[in-house]
Every structure is written in structure tokens, then in C-alpha cells.
């Protein structure tokens, strides 16, 4: 995924009211930009460090700038915009980077499914004209950015919505489909992912149940710069 034009750079002052962030531009002026991450952003806020942002030409937007990436104290790059994760996943499937998700004819986004009124991030289907079409493949995408003591964790806050998604994926498996939970690791310092039992023990337990029920759990690292981002390689998941 290429960013055109490339992101511009500033320095983080503070994030507040969930959706707002104050930064200092390279000319010394201070501006407020939109924060597209509704989560806790635990261990992602490094005041005084570099941030990168995109600029929209939409005249209806109150804040034309959007926070995209951040630099950690260790110099790692963190993808702040969780909305990028689904596109990164789609691009990686189409380009063949995610080997486990190849061989399907059609990719759809945001398809309604399940008994709890959900929308699946990505649905892969096979052509019905094939002699033995593959089962549908339901893919839930999660952005992983929490790094603590060298370990990557998900989630970074309690998530009843994430628990619902796991139940929906297990339901798809019970119906004979493939179901995949894909962690898009948007933190260059994370080398493996595990459930954050210390943050949401219920999610961790449900994740274990989902794995035992046949839900496939994958993670891929993201290569990031102000010019581009793409999924690079598989990342170990510790269950």
C-alpha cells in the first residue's frame, strides 16, 4: 500500500477525548489532528516522539489531518490508524503474501454473517462451477499494537465486541466453513502475538476455545514507512 502523497511528520504533544491529538509541526506550530484509533492505545503514546499524519482535501472535515503512524521510545514504528488493517490484509491476500489464504476466486469486504448480527471483514469464496469448490473462508482482522516486555498482546483493553467475533467464527466452523482470525501486527517491535490474559481474561479463554474448535489463528508483521505499508511475513502466535 503506497501513500500518495507520503505522510507528513510532526511531534506528539498529547492525545485526548479519544479522537483528538495535539502535535507540533516541523515549523514549530501546534495543531489538532484526528485520532482514528478508538482503543486504549496502551504503550503507543510517546510524547515528544515523531508522528506521521495524512492530509485530506475533504472540505467537510473539521480536522483535515489524520494520525497514521507513531515512533516509540525504542525507535519502532506503530501503525495508529486501525482502519488500515483490513486494506493491508486484502492487499496481502491478493498479492499472495498470506500463503494460507490462497486459491479462492472472489474476495468481498464487510459481509453480513452469523447469528449475532455481525459483518465479517473479509469473505473468500470459490467458484461454484468448480467440481469441488472450497468452503467459504470467513476472516476477522484485528490490529495488534500492544508491546509489553518484548511480547505482543491482543487486546489492549476489554473487548466484548472481540468476544462476539470469536463466537461468530466458531459458528462458521460448526457450519462447515473455514474461519480465520488474522492479527495484522502494526508494530515493528512485535515478534510474536499472544492473548492478553492480564487485560481481558474472558477474551483469552474464548480465543483458546475458538482455536480448539477449529478457528485458524494467523498473524503477519507489517513493514511501515511514511511512504508505504505492507504485510511482510508470518508472525508466531502463542496460544
Amino acid at each position: 500500500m503506497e501513500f500518495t502523497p507520503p505522510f507528513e511528520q510532526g511531534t506528539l504533544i498529547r492525545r485526548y477525548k479519544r479522537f483528538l491529538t495535539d502535535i507540533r509541526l516541523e515549523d514549530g506550530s501546534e495543531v489538532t489532528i484526528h485520532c482514528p484509533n478508538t482503543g486504549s492505545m496502551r504503550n503507543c503514546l510517546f510524547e515528544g516522539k515523531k508522528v506521521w499524519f495524512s492530509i485530506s482535501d475533504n472540505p467537510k472535515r473539521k480536522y483535515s489531518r489524520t494520525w497514521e503512524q507513531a515512533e516509540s521510545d525504542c525507535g519502532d514504528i506503530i501503525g495508529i490508524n486501525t482502519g488500515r488493517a483490513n486494506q493491508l490484509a486484502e492487499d496481502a491476500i491478493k498479492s499472495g503474501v498470506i500463503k494460507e489464504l490462497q486459491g479462492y476466486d472472489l474476495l468481498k469486504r464487510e459481509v453480513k454473517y452469523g447469528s449475532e448480527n455481525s459483518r465479517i471483514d473479509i469473505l473468500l469464496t470459490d467458484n461454484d462451477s468448480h467440481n469441488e469448490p472450497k468452503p467459504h473462508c470467513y476472516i476477522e482482522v484485528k490490529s495488534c499494537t500492544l508491546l509489553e516486555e518484548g511480547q505482543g498482546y491482543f487486546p489492549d483493553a476489554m473487548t466484548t465486541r472481540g468476544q462476539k467475533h470469536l463466537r461468530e467464527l466458531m459458528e462458521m466452523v460448526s457450519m462447515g466453513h473455514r474461519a480465520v482470525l488474522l492479527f495484522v501486527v502494526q508494530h515493528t517491535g512485535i515478534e510474536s502475538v499472544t492473548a492478553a490474559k492480564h487485560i481481558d481474561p474472558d477474551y483469552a479463554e474464548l480465543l483458546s476455545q475458538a482455536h480448539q474448535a477449529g478457528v485458524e489463528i494467523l498473524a503477519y508483521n507489517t513493514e511501515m514507512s511514511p511512504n508505504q505499508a505492507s504485510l511482510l511475513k508470518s508472525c508466531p502466535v502463542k496460544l
Side-chain angles (χ1 to χ4, degrees), residues 141-156:
V141 180
K142 298 297 184 186
S143 177
C144 176
T145 58
L146 175 57
L147 178 64
E148 291 185 350
E149 298 180 353
Q151 177 64 58
Y153 289 99
F154 185 90
D156 65 0

Side-chain angles (χ1 to χ4, degrees), residues 5-23:
F7 298 152
E8 297 194 18
Q9 183 177 310
T11 301
L12 178 62
I13 298 175
R14 62 171 182 149
R15 178 226 190 186
Y16 56 103
K17 295 182 180 179
R18 295 181 69 188
F19 298 105
L20 300 178
T21 303
D22 290 341
I23 67 170

Side-chain angles (χ1 to χ4, degrees), residues 11-15 21-25 29-31 46-49 51:
T11 301
L12 178 62
I13 298 175
R14 62 171 182 149
R15 178 226 190 186
T21 303
D22 290 341
I23 67 170
R24 182 174 295 104
L25 301 178
S29 60
E30 296 182 5
V31 296
F46 297 90
E47 295 179 2
K49 302 299 289 186
V51 297

Side-chain angles (χ1 to χ4, degrees), residues 146-193:
L146 175 57
L147 178 64
E148 291 185 350
E149 298 180 353
Q151 177 64 58
Y153 289 99
F154 185 90
D156 65 0
M158 295 284 289
T159 173
T160 55
R161 185 168 180 265
Q163 293 173 31
K164 181 182 80 164
H165 292 155
L166 289 176
R167 292 192 297 269
E168 298 280 43
L169 292 176
M170 285 190 281
E171 181 183 352
M172 293 303 102
V173 172
S174 71
M175 295 172 63
H177 303 300
R178 282 185 75 188
V180 178
L181 179 64
L182 173 62
F183 291 114
V184 172
V185 181
Q186 294 198 83
H187 191 308
T188 59
I190 292 177
E191 297 182 354
S192 65
V193 178

